[in-house]
């Protein structure tokens, strides 16, 4: 009796049920990640477009979008500023300075002036030059969406000024500064009163979501292969072809 070498199919209802339930989920997750990647790509394009635009007065904006170049006019508070601790630049210890800037209309604004070197002696606070008089400074709006600032990390520094903290949250700063605009401006390098600054990178990654999508689609393909192997003689046909 001749052996049958053709394709044979024997449906296993258990594996068919699992495949029917899981495959749409895996494929759907893959397409969802692709949609997220497209959304993030549009966010990157919008951020870069804003960054390339001309600076506008902060008071004219209907909303405070990250990376929007702005100008603000007012004067720095001579006493109130924060030192963001443990900021390393090129292997050197230092601080980032976030100052209170009183606008011409009386509101207060957090202005990130950049990085300054610190002393090896942790008990010695750095001297921070405070510009005097009214001036116009330029920078871009930025509030981190991923790593929130927070006050009160160094309890001994909470009662007076300046305050040394690990992170600074705009929402929490409203408890320390009256009439505070709910955003922060990062000074540009060429702006008056700026220390050592650098542009904030657009912290959005479409590639990450594309990688996740690839993983979900690979799992979908693996599930299909397992289903075929379990419900047919495909594995035997492959082995026989290798022998022949």
């Amino acid at each position: 009796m001749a052996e049958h070498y053709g394709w044979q199919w024997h449906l296993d209802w258990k594996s068919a049920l699992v495949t029917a339930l899981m495959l749409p989920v895996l494929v759907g997750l893959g397409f969802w990640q692709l949609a997220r990647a497209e959304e993030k790509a549009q966010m990157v394009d919008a951020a870069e477009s804003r960054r390339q635009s001309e600076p506008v007065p902060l008071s004219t904006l209907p909303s405070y979008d990250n990376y929007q170049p702005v100008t603000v006019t007012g004067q720095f508070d001579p006493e109130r500023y924060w030192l963001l601790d443990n900021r390393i630049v090129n292997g050197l210890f230092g601080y980032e300075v976030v100052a209170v800037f009183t606008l011409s209309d009386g509101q207060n604004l957090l202005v990130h002036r950049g990085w300054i070197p610190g002393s090896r002696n942790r008990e010695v606070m750095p001297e921070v030059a405070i510009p005097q008089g009214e001036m116009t400074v330029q920078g871009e709006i930025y509030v981190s969406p991923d790593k929130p600032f927070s006050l009160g990390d160094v309890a001994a520094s909470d009662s007076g000024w300046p305050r040394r903290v690990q992170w600074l949250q705009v929402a929490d700063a409203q408890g320390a500064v009256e009439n505070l605009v709910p955003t922060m401006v990062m000074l540009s390098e060429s702006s008056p009163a700026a220390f050592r600054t650098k542009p904030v990178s657009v912290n959005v990654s479409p590639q990450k979501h594309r990688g996740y999508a690839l993983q979900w689609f690979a799992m979908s393909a693996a599930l299909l292969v397992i289903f075929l192997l379990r419900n047919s003689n495909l594995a035997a046909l492959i082995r026989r072809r290798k022998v022949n």
Side-chain angles (χ1 to χ4, degrees), residues 102-114:
T102 302
L103 303 175
S104 300
D105 62 4
Q107 295 188 93
N108 289 310
L109 174 71
L110 296 182
V111 172
H112 191 294
R113 298 181 60 190

Side-chain angles (χ1 to χ4, degrees), residues 188-240:
S188 61
E189 185 177 12
S190 60
S191 181
F195 296 123
R196 185 169 183 171
T197 66
K198 64 178 181 179
V200 180
S201 60
V202 180
N203 191 21
V204 177
S205 178
Q207 292 78 9
K208 177 180 67 175
H209 293 284
R210 295 190 182 107
Y212 291 154
L214 181 60
Q215 292 178 9
W216 289 120
F217 289 139
M219 292 174 66
S220 302
L223 180 63
L224 283 176
V225 170
I226 293 172
F227 175 75
L228 289 174
L229 292 175
R230 186 171 180 82
N231 290 272
S232 71
N233 64 335
L234 178 61
L237 292 176
I238 293 175
R239 287 195 298 269
R240 189 173 294 117

Side-chain angles (χ1 to χ4, degrees), residues 154-175:
V154 183
S157 300
D158 284 347
S159 57
W161 296 97
R163 299 184 179 182
R164 184 168 60 187
V165 297
Q166 294 296 323
W167 306 102
L168 179 63
Q169 188 173 13
V170 174
D172 291 338
Q174 291 175 334

